[in-house]
Amino acid sequence: MPAPDKEPDFPNADAVPRSRWRLQIVWLVPILAVLIGGWLAVKAAIDKGPTITISFLTAEGLEAGKTKIKFKDVDIGIIKSVTLTPDHERVIATAQINKDATNMLVDNTRFWVVRPRISGGTVSGISTLLSGSYIGMDVGKSRTERRDFVGLEVPPVISSDVPGREFILKSTNMGSLDVGEPVYFRRLQVGQVSAYKLDPDGHGVTLRVFINAPYDRFVLADTRFWHASGVDVTVGSNGIQVNTQSLVSILIGGIAFESPPGARDDTVAASGSTFTLFPNRDDAMKAHYHIVVKYVANFAESVRGLTVGAPVDFRGIVVGEVTAIYTRFDPKTERFTIPVEIDLYPELFTSHYQTNAGGRISNDPHALADRLVAKGLRLQLRTGNLLTGQLYLAADFFPDAPKATVNWESSPPELPTIPGNLQRLQDNVTELVAKLNTIPFGAIGKNTQQTLASAKTLLNDLDTLVVPQAQGTLAAAQTALNTANNALKPDSPLQQNTADAVQELARTATAFRSLADYLEQHPEALIRGKKQEAHP
């Protein structure tokens, strides 16, 4: 055991000076973190997409750092901030877009806020009730880049990548239409209303409809569009007609289109072509004529039941329509008349008419009207439907009608008329009643009473003078009849004597027959007499 005061034996330490550039291991972690952070920052800067601004009327559904921008349900950006414009009328949403979506930011790209909406017959944005609103995006086809956009307040009905074509419709009113309303072709939904606006003059509206491919090829140059909203009930001279496209159109409305029968222009309409939107199918399918001549017809009878648009019928063929009905007072006669203005289509009279020489009749409306009126052409009110009481104008020939001419000095020219069948019946009844009123029924009644009194007196005289003599005559006649009956009885002497006389006549006839037979065999007996038969 060593002594306690002896020091332990340790090696001597040599002092080495510390290097200024020697890296301690503990610093590796922060250095690596800085390098990774720098790399991430550089990568983020490299991958960072463009920043855009979208202007909206309101910030409803927008939230900085949360509201995303989606294209076909794929996140392509996020809203970074939402601020007011300097005039406080709109909001500016600043969004960061992914780098791979940069080529989508072109001039006609559209943005809108997707939120729950009910428009017409469509319901959209239901998923946002749970996930929250987001900004939808529709990529345009322009090649011009853009970074500032104006957001849509209403989502577009048709995406830019949907095949089809858009057309423009002009109408006097919107009816029950709205964006997204269906468009029908032969009761098949083939498109929808994409937009509408009021015309600058305020006299109508302009609608845009999108027809999906391949149905857009059925929109021709002569195609007609009309309102198919609800139930179209037409009460006219042809009766009651009910037309509708579908149950959806009854509830929310819609538009239908079709080409008229016999349309000659089958050229497919170009995209953006403008058409007229008619109020109903009947108006849409009416033929369009190049020659339209206006006339007026004055009626002294009631025109109750005649409406604007009523047909002018020529033996079952519609050759015009009523355009106006009003009243006119003549200060000279102090009488009211009912002028009815009509549009006539001379083409319907002349298009298939040919003379014996093979040439066409003159298209001069004056000459044609004068010739027809001279032959008895007149306008007459007639009942088209007894149930509804609707009237129409009939153009027909009445050879017995009084002579008349077309009044070309009137504006429009005036065609002659003839009272309707009912009016003529009323006039005849009135004339008959007037004639009956001229008959002296009082004097006739007095004379009749006198005659009846004289007849009664005569009957009394006959009863006094003639009846007794007639009774005696009848008694004598009865006696004669009784005597005759007694004489004609089977057991009466007259009957017995008559029977004996008949028997004698029969025997006499037999004797004459025997004599005739003998003379036939022996004619000489007339001279010599009957020979004596020899006795044996």
Side-chain angles (χ1 to χ4, degrees), residues 224 260-261 282-290 292 321 345 348:
R224 315 289 173 81
D282 290 340
D283 291 343
M285 290 300 166
K286 285 182 179 178
H288 295 263
Y289 299 100
H290 299 289
V292 179
E321 66 176 343
Y345 313 123
L348 295 177

Side-chain angles (χ1 to χ4, degrees), residues 58-308:
T58 176
E60 180 185 0
L62 301 180
E63 189 174 355
K66 292 185 177 181
T67 304
K68 297 180 180 180
I69 299 177
K70 295 185 178 183
F71 176 70
K72 295 185 176 182
D73 288 335
V74 176
D75 295 345
I76 62 170
I78 190 170
I79 298 297
K80 292 297 185 179
S81 64
V82 180
T83 60
L84 286 171
T85 57
D87 57 7
H88 300 166
E89 292 187 359
R90 301 182 66 89
V91 297
I92 300 296
T94 303
Q96 187 70 50
I97 304 298
N98 297 342
K99 184 179 180 179
D100 55 0
T102 302
N103 58 349
M104 299 180 180
L105 304 176
V106 294
D107 188 60
N108 54 356
T109 295
R110 300 177 291 181
F111 296 90
W112 66 94
V113 179
V114 179
R115 58 174 71 96
R117 296 176 185 269
I118 299 178
S119 176
T122 59
V123 179
S124 61
I126 298 298
S127 61
T128 60
L129 292 174
L130 300 177
S131 62
S133 300
Y134 63 90
I135 295 180
M137 177 181 177
D138 181 41
V139 179
K141 297 180 179 180
S142 174
R143 296 185 178 182
T144 304
E145 293 186 357
R146 186 174 178 179
R147 296 294 182 265
D148 299 324
F149 299 90
V150 177
L152 303 177
E153 300 303 322
V154 179
V157 178
I158 306 299
S159 300
S160 57
D161 57 348
V162 176
R165 289 181 296 158
E166 192 175 53
F167 301 96
I168 300 173
L169 304 182
K170 295 287 187 178
S171 177
T172 56
N173 60 76
M174 279 290 295
S176 59
L177 299 175
D178 197 359
V179 173
E181 302 290 4
V183 178
Y184 297 96
F185 176 70
R186 301 190 184 279
R187 300 193 178 184
L188 176 67
Q189 183 174 348
V190 297
Q192 48 276 328
V193 178
S194 58
Y196 65 88
K197 67 176 181 179
L198 183 68
D199 292 342
D201 58 4
H203 293 164
V205 293
T206 300
L207 300 93
R208 291 183 175 271
V209 295
F210 186 86
I211 308 300
N212 301 324
Y215 308 106
D216 56 338
R217 62 188 176 91
F218 297 113
V219 181
L220 308 179
D222 198 26
T223 293
R224 315 289 173 81
F225 289 80
W226 68 89
H227 281 275
S229 304
V231 179
D232 181 14
V233 180
T234 304
V235 181
S237 58
N238 295 326
I240 301 176
Q241 299 179 353
V242 180
N243 298 314
T244 183
Q245 291 295 322
S246 67
L247 181 61
V248 175
S249 67
I250 295 177
L251 298 177
I252 64 174
I255 296 175
F257 72 90
E258 190 177 340
S259 296
R264 298 180 180 179
D265 191 353
D266 57 355
T267 304
V268 177
S271 179
S273 299
T274 301
F275 297 89
T276 299
L277 180 60
F278 294 92
N280 52 62
R281 188 179 188 277
D282 290 340
D283 291 343
M285 290 300 166
K286 285 182 179 178
H288 295 263
Y289 299 100
H290 299 289
I291 304 176
V292 179
V293 182
K294 288 186 174 293
Y295 289 99
V296 65
N298 277 319
F299 292 94
E301 56 191 296
S302 173
V303 296
R304 182 180 180 87
L306 185 68
T307 59
V308 174

Side-chain angles (χ1 to χ4, degrees), residues 351-386:
S351 59
H352 299 287
Y353 182 86
Q354 292 183 345
T355 61
N356 294 333
R360 299 180 62 84
I361 192 173
S362 173
N363 286 331
D364 182 7
H366 287 205
L368 177 62
D370 287 335
R371 291 181 60 181
L372 295 178
V373 170
K375 292 183 176 295
L377 181 67
R378 301 290 186 272
L379 292 178
Q380 184 185 52
L381 287 173
R382 291 182 183 176
T383 301
N385 189 286
L386 294 176

